[in-house]
Every structure is written in C-alpha cells, then in structure tokens.
Amino acid sequence: MILLSNPRTRRRRLGVVAAAGGLLAALLTAQPAVATPDPGDGPAQEQKVSESTRAEVREALADGEIPGQNEIVHSDNIEHVANIPKDVLPGTNSDLAFQGRYAFAGNYDGFRIFDIGNPRSPKTVAQVLCPGSQNDISVSGNLLFLSTDSSRSDSSCNSTTQPATEKSSWEGMKVFDISDKTNPKYVAAVETACGSHTHTLVPERRNVYVYVSSYSPNAAYPDCRPPHDGISVIKVPRYAPEKAAVVGFPVLFPGEGPDGGGNPGAPTNPGVSKTTGCHDITVLPGKDLAAGACMGDGILFSIADPEHPKVIDQVQDNVNFAFWHSATFNQKADKVIFTDELGGGSGATCNAEIGPNRGADGIYDIVGKGDKRKLVFRSYFKIPRHQANTENCVAHNGSLIPVRGRDLMVQAWYQGGVSVWDFTDSAHPKEIAYFDRGPLTTDTIRSAGSWSAYYYNGYIYSNEMARGFDVLKINDRRTDPARWVKLRELNVQTQPDYFD
C-alpha cells in the first residue's frame, strides 16, 4: 500500500498517444450499454486494445506513472479499512443501500447483505441468488427492491435469459421481505415497460412509490415499443407488498415525433444519446423535488403529487455530455450534480485526449423559485489523475458527505477509483481525497472498479465491480463534522434532509 500526501504527486499521464487512434474515435461515437434487452447477466465483454497501447501501459508501469496491476494508492487522508471479495455471487457488483447496521449490495446474480456494525470487519449475513442485470437495489422498512433489466423467461429467481422479442419475456421490479435479514423472502414482482434499469423510492407512511427508469425501446419488443418518453410509477403497500402494481406512466418528454420531445441525438446532435427514457432519478422528498438524468437530457421536476410528477426545467449539453447518467442535489437544493457516462461505463475515458470536460460531472445551480426554477450550468469536474487505456473510467454513482455550510461529495469512477471533492464554489470544484487501484488488466479492457461509493454513518462504502466490497475512512477536518450525522436508512437516490 502506498500513501500519497498529494493527489497530484503521482499524476497519471497514460493514454495521450494511444487514444489518438481508433480507440478514441470509437469512444467519441460510443453509445451507453444497451439497457433492454441485455444479452446476458455477466459483465461486459473484454475489449481488445492495440499493441501500441499495451506497450505504452507496460512502459508506464515500469516508469511508475501508474500504479502496478491491482496496486492500491490513495491520498494520506483516506484509510482503506476492509475489503470483502466476492463469494457465491460471481456477477458484476452494482449499487448499494443501507439500513441500520446493514449494507445491501447489488450484484448481477442477486444481492448480498453485510453486517457493518463493525465497519472494519463486515460480516456476510445473507447472499440471495436471483439473476437479472443490473439488480439496482434499495430498501425501505421491511422491504427490499431489486431492478431487473434483462429479458427473462419469467419473474422467478430461477429464470433464464430469453429474447425481448418474445411476448412471454419478463423484466421489471422484484420485492423482497427483509424483516429477517438472514432469510430474505421474495414476495412480489411487477413487470414494467422496457424493464427496470434503475429505480428510485418515494416513501410514504403506508405506501412506497417506485419510479422506474428504463430506456432503449424497439418496435420489435412487444413490451418495450416506442415512444418511451416517461417513467413507470409503481405503488407498493407496505403491509401488502403482494398488491404492488403500476399506477401510471407519466410522460416527461411530451412532443412531436416517435420519441417525444427529448434530445433527438444523432445526426442532429452527433455523439449525444437520443432520449428514449431516463437512466436514473434522484428525489429530495423533503422538498418535493426530483432531478432526472435522462440520456440526452437533464430535468428538474416536482413530486408534490408523487403519482403525477411535473417537469419544471429541461436542459441539454450537446457539446460535452454524451449520456446523462445520474443526479445528486446538494443539501440546500440549490445545486444539482449530473454525471456523463461517456462510453457507457466500459470505455477508457480518463485520459488527456478525452480531456477534463467529457465523461465528467456537470455542476448546475438551481435559480428562481417554485415552478419557475431553472438549471444554470456552472462548471465541470473530473478526477485529475489520468488512467491507463486498459481501465474503464468515467463519472459514476456518489453521495453527499453531510457537512453544514459545505457541499462535499464522494463519488465512484469505475477504475478511476473513489474521489472526494468539494463543490461549495460551484464554479471552482476541487478534489480533496482519493482512493485508487492500478489496472485490473494491462492487455485488454475488462470492466472493473467502483460502481458506487457512498458515505454512511462515518465511513465510505464502495462496491467494486470485480474486486469486492471496500470500506474506507476519511480523516480530514473538512469532512470530520459528518461523523456526527447518523442515519437509520440510506438510499442515495432518495436523498435525506440530513439536518432537518
């Protein structure tokens, strides 16, 4: 383990020459990984790279420009306190949720429950085999929710992959009873149009509303035909989850044409995804507000009536954003961070040729009041370390670190590792800490790295796609006050009011 006192001490410059060839051209036109149907439930296929790229990686390793294969490096204000490798679920690790002393970790083959009562020594409580990419996960009370975004033969946990062109194929939401954490019980399934790539909870006392994000319709798919210009809303009664059902499909992008009024993508906007649904939504229930990352668009909308969300503002960035992936509010709800998943999460986009403004975060201020609020762009943020061209790296899932008077965030960057950064000044964001590993492979691109990195009750938890569940502790005067904020439950896409 190497301790670095300055994030820029070991600046990673790899990729300047190699990316200038065919790899860069491919990335600039790459579309995100197809959501529906998924060809299977395993990780993305390995991508071959040129011999010149492999030679450059070997040279950079020898020169110390990048860490050695799987070598851990981090700033001196972060401590790596635990790693729990994969066990009986071999698939790709995905999102995380938290409740009390438990962490719930999604995996393309199911989910795993950890006891994190002692964060330095997490213990596995249960592992549930239930294949269905990408198994986006969240919890509320005694219920656990799991997204299925690959066409399955049926809704059971014993299903197999089946083409989306077959009417009998199933995709959607699964619901488990987790009142006994050692023995979760599958209690409900709800099919949704185009499946469920991600989902977001809007909890109430008696019901939980689930906003289901999905995309990529096709006229050949009986249950996923265009236009697909909105989200599915599921109502789940807490004490009768078996009655869960879709109660609406609000249109978020009304307009003329086969796909509504979202971004048309190419050829009008080359290199930008056509909007055919949303990828991810973050809600701030305490303020009746939501932000949607919807492929070619970012939106701000009201959820005062959770069954009938209403769009307040819609923005695009047709210069630097390829795929609007996720959103995070600051605590005051006067800023939103949107992420751009350039290359669909499987490309090497953290290099000099791609630059600091693509595959990055976009910071937007929210100005105005009520239904007249607008999203105003302020700046981009991207990790300052260049990665190898065999490392998939792009902005991905993160959460706030709750400190009064500051806007701090921890964020996953796939093989770019975990970054902690300050956007209090939305025009001048800066990184304050990081954790990273050297490349998983040095001769191909194989998907790995931190899928989600979230702050929960004093620690940072990261679900590493290939290398397991990581626990980090940050020791920094800027983040120290967050240790006093204790939550009973955290689904990052359902942001709490930390100080109310």
Side-chain angles (χ1 to χ4, degrees), residues 425-482:
D425 180 348
S426 53
H428 300 95
K430 59 183 179 181
E431 185 177 75
I432 62 174
Y434 78 98
F435 171 86
D436 194 9
R437 286 181 171 92
L440 180 70
T441 54
T442 59
D443 54 356
T444 60
I445 297 178
R446 183 145 53 100
S447 292
S450 181
W451 179 290
S452 299
Y454 298 148
Y455 186 92
Y456 177 69
N457 292 354
Y459 288 82
I460 293 169
Y461 297 89
S462 168
N463 215 16
E464 221 279 3
M465 296 167 68
R467 291 172 281 203
F469 179 72
D470 286 310
V471 185
L472 311 174
K473 188 171 181 58
I474 182 166
N475 298 291
D476 189 287
R477 59 177 177 77
R478 292 163 289 192
T479 62
D480 283 347

Side-chain angles (χ1 to χ4, degrees), residues 98 114 117 144 186 205 230 237 240 251 285 290 305 336 376 433 435 454 460-461 464 469 482:
F98 305 89
F114 293 99
L144 179 146
Y186 187 10
R205 175 177 289 184
V251 172
D305 180 351
V336 181
V376 178
F435 171 86
Y454 298 148
I460 293 169
Y461 297 89
E464 221 279 3
F469 179 72

Side-chain angles (χ1 to χ4, degrees), residues 169-436:
S169 295
W170 183 93
E171 302 180 66
M173 288 299 308
K174 295 170 180 169
V175 184
F176 291 78
D177 184 323
I178 53 168
S179 52
D180 179 357
K181 302 295 188 294
T182 66
N183 187 28
K185 298 184 186 306
Y186 187 10
V187 296
V190 181
E191 187 171 14
T192 54
C194 300
S196 175
H197 194 69
T198 67
H199 68 270
T200 304
L201 304 186
V202 186
E204 295 185 329
R205 175 177 289 184
R206 300 184 63 85
N207 303 297
V208 179
Y209 287 97
V210 185
Y211 289 171
V212 176
S213 295
S214 55
Y215 53 96
S216 294
N218 189 302
Y221 305 156
D223 298 317
C224 181
R225 288 177 172 152
H228 186 73
D229 48 10
I231 57 174
S232 297
V233 178
I234 299 173
K235 184 178 182 179
V236 185
R238 286 192 183 277
Y239 303 108
E242 69 279 2
K243 296 181 179 179
V246 174
V247 294
F249 187 86
V251 172
L252 302 178
F253 300 98
E256 301 297 328
D259 297 307
N263 199 314
T268 304
N269 296 316
V272 178
S273 294
K274 179 170 68 172
T275 298
T276 59
C278 289
H279 179 276
D280 209 352
I281 291 169
T282 293
V283 298
L284 200 55
K287 293 183 170 60
D288 289 333
L289 202 59
C294 303
M295 304 182 73
D297 294 87
I299 59 174
L300 185 71
F301 56 103
S302 166
I303 57 169
D305 180 351
E307 291 191 25
H308 303 94
K310 182 176 67 173
V311 174
I312 296 171
D313 195 25
Q314 175 182 352
V315 292
Q316 297 176 356
D317 179 346
N318 295 317
V319 176
N320 288 314
F321 259 50
F323 186 81
W324 296 66
H325 174 276
S326 54
T328 302
F329 288 100
N330 69 336
Q331 180 57 34
K332 290 183 178 180
D334 59 7
K335 299 174 190 174
V336 181
I337 306 299
F338 288 105
T339 68
D340 172 23
E341 195 182 36
L342 173 67
S346 61
T349 71
C350 295
N351 54 41
E353 285 297 316
I354 297 297
N357 297 337
R358 305 203 67 205
D361 296 313
I363 305 171
Y364 286 74
D365 284 352
I366 301 174
V367 300
K369 295 182 179 181
D371 290 351
K372 297 186 180 299
R373 283 173 286 191
K374 297 291 183 182
L375 293 164
V376 178
F377 173 77
R378 294 304 187 201
S379 66
Y380 299 105
F381 171 78
K382 193 170 184 179
I383 56 173
R385 294 165 305 287
H386 295 155
Q387 307 290 309
N389 272 343
T390 57
E391 292 181 281
N392 59 304
C393 175
V394 74
H396 213 240
N397 294 348
S399 77
L400 292 185
I401 298 178
V403 175
R404 288 185 184 274
R406 301 189 76 94
D407 294 325
L408 303 174
M409 184 173 179
V410 57
Q411 187 174 3
W413 290 79
Y414 288 129
Q415 286 200 70
V418 174
S419 176
V420 179
W421 57 291
D422 186 329
F423 62 103
T424 307
D425 180 348
S426 53
H428 300 95
K430 59 183 179 181
E431 185 177 75
I432 62 174
Y434 78 98
F435 171 86
D436 194 9

